[in-house]
């Protein structure tokens, strides 16, 4: 069964790149630096449904992304979550949080309507994050 | 540095048992079957700060718990998250969600004040979950 990104993620997110297991997406919400990892495996809604090798890749890729985001954004906290109440296809949020952001200390999900980035901002963030992930 | 569970987790949760890496806790909120895995490593606030071996154990234990909770509770969705905006010590929520629960489809965090279990309910859930985890 081929993998197709859920239409809602297609709509809400911007493609940044591909790791070994996961597709890396930017949530199109300029209120929070917010990234999504979607394992490119069809028919999966929960992490435990991935096989052991895929689970290991997932936590490796998630931690790699999280560490690079920490270096890049110097957050007060990262919020990492597989929720999927609205979009059941497995996807893991990586949200950069600051004590000064508009949702703190609440989680961001379902809190505020998204505010889209400009084209220039999307170009800049995509370049910034791709470069950070490609650094040795 | 010895590991001590954060006082807020001590206060909010009930001890169920110990896996290899993590302490398993029950959130004392009868509105949702809600479990917490806290890696017993001092000074960690983010998953990526665990070493590679600990990260693998974490996803193994999280997936083991998630699969057993799925068999036990037949949820519509699991919500698995490392947030920590209020309690920075690393702990991973595993929340059993139903389309009929009072917070659906919103996440549960910060949504409703906790409603404590009775002593009998705590005894029952602890036994139920311990048995489920000990099954072959």
């Amino acid at each position: 069964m081929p993998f197709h990104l859920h239409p809602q993620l297609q709509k809400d997110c911007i493609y940044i790149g591909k790791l070994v297991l996961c597709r890396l997406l930017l949530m199109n919400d300029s209120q929070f630096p917010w990234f999504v990892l979607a394992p490119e495996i069809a028919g999966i809604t929960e992490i435990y449904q991935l096989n052991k090798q895929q689970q290991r890749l997932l936590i490796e890729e998630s931690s790699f992304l999280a560490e690079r985001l920490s270096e890049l954004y110097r957050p007060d906290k990262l919020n990492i979550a597989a929720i999927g109440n609205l979009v059941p296809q497995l996807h893991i949020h990586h949200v950069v949080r600051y004590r000064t952001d508009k949702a703190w200390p609440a989680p961001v999900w379902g809190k505020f309507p998204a505010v889209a980035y400009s084209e220039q901002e999307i170009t800049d963030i995509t370049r910034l994050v791709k470069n950070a992930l490609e650094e040795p």
Side-chain angles (χ1 to χ4, degrees), chain A residues 23-121:
Chain A
R23 193 175 297 194
L24 173 59
L25 307 166
L26 169 67
M27 186 65 74
N28 192 7
D29 185 350
S30 60
Q31 300 169 107
F32 310 96
W34 180 347
F35 302 86
V36 171
L37 286 180
E40 292 193 344
I41 310 288
I44 302 286
T45 60
E46 301 287 355
I47 294 167
Y48 78 81
Q49 296 164 346
L50 297 171
N51 70 33
K52 297 258 178 251
Q53 174 59 17
Q54 292 163 343
Q55 289 179 25
R56 286 179 175 197
L57 271 172
L58 177 60
I59 199 157
E60 275 178 30
E61 295 184 359
S62 170
S63 292
F64 172 65
L65 173 65
E67 186 162 12
R68 294 301 164 99
L69 291 178
S70 283
E71 292 161 1
L72 210 51
Y73 287 101
R74 301 282 162 200
D76 291 313
K77 194 71 192 67
L78 292 172
N79 292 173
I80 297 180
I83 300 177
N85 300 345
L86 295 171
V87 178
Q89 180 180 76
L90 180 60
H91 61 288
I92 297 96
H93 299 276
H94 293 69
V95 192
V96 169
R97 302 299 309 274
Y98 299 102
R99 287 190 193 90
T100 52
D101 73 39
K102 68 184 288 189
W104 187 270
V108 298
W109 304 285
K111 195 84 181 167
F112 300 106
V115 178
Y117 287 109
S118 68
E119 284 302 317
Q120 187 58 52
E121 287 171 322

Side-chain angles (χ1 to χ4, degrees), chain A residues 113-132:
Chain A
V115 178
Y117 287 109
S118 68
E119 284 302 317
Q120 187 58 52
E121 287 171 322
I122 290 170
T123 305
D124 292 347
I125 294 172
T126 301
R127 184 182 299 129
L128 187 76
V129 172
K130 279 181 94 115
N131 284 348

